[in-house]
Amino acid sequence: MAKTTKSIPLGIRNNNPLNIVYSKKNNWHGQLKGAKGRFTAFEDMMWGFRAAACLLRKYINVYKCNTIAQIVAKWAPASENNTTAYINFVCKQTGLKDSQEVKFGDTTVMLRVMGAMCAMENGNEYNPSNNPSIWDAMYKGYIMARENSTDFASINDPQVDDKQSNL
């Protein structure tokens, strides 16, 4: 039986897998104009992951939210979410402790964190580890954010030989 559009999570339908809230101040690459509703929408899931990675980079490098507990508390505040459950889910999925330092430039750790957040936001069926098309979009989006690029084809990533190794 095929899934109906409404049964597909909003984050997946919007190509916004970490559910970034829409803001007039943001002009993300690949963002669709005229957002309807609370969350922004993107042309392609890769752009949604790139925007999420850019926000995570700012959390880690600017706001100094560099542990799972700090990142999730800012991303999914207790006023709107069960933040404790979110933190526990990300820790279980990644194998990281809630107080463990996360560095934005650590590709393996960041892909694990983003993948876990995607699964938390949309359901485990949409976990990038189990879905090659979501994995590919996440990887490309993160690498573009890490390299401050909008062109995946121009990125040379010497740190990763096989994008699915160590995950």
Side-chain angles (χ1 to χ4, degrees), residues 37-158:
R38 181 171 176 218
F39 300 100
T40 195
F42 293 92
E43 295 169 11
D44 185 275
M45 194 170 296
M46 173 189 66
W47 294 118
F49 274 117
R50 181 186 179 277
C54 287
L55 285 172
L56 289 169
R57 180 181 60 213
K58 188 169 188 175
Y59 283 17
I60 293 166
N61 294 339
V62 176
Y63 300 133
K64 304 302 181 200
C65 294
N66 60 0
T67 66
I68 298 297
Q70 292 169 332
I71 290 167
V72 171
K74 186 159 182 61
W75 193 275
S79 60
E80 300 176 15
N81 300 276
N82 182 340
T83 305
T84 301
Y86 200 133
I87 291 166
N88 291 339
F89 181 85
V90 172
C91 289
K92 183 176 181 183
Q93 293 286 309
T94 62
L96 301 172
K97 295 184 183 338
D98 65 347
S99 60
Q100 189 169 338
E101 184 178 5
V102 174
K103 294 183 183 197
F104 184 77
D106 187 330
T107 300
T108 300
V109 169
M110 286 305 301
L111 291 175
R112 285 180 177 163
V113 170
M114 289 174 62
M117 291 174 74
C118 177
M120 181 67 187
E121 295 283 343
N122 301 288
N124 210 40
E125 180 179 348
Y126 299 96
N127 187 328
S129 297
N130 305 324
N131 189 312
S133 63
I134 296 176
W135 171 266
D136 191 53
M138 180 180 69
Y139 176 77
K140 289 177 180 178
Y142 165 73
I143 296 298
M144 283 193 298
R146 192 186 74 190
E147 302 296 326
N148 290 316
S149 171
T150 58
D151 178 11
F152 183 75
S154 69
I155 295 171
N156 178 16
D157 185 13

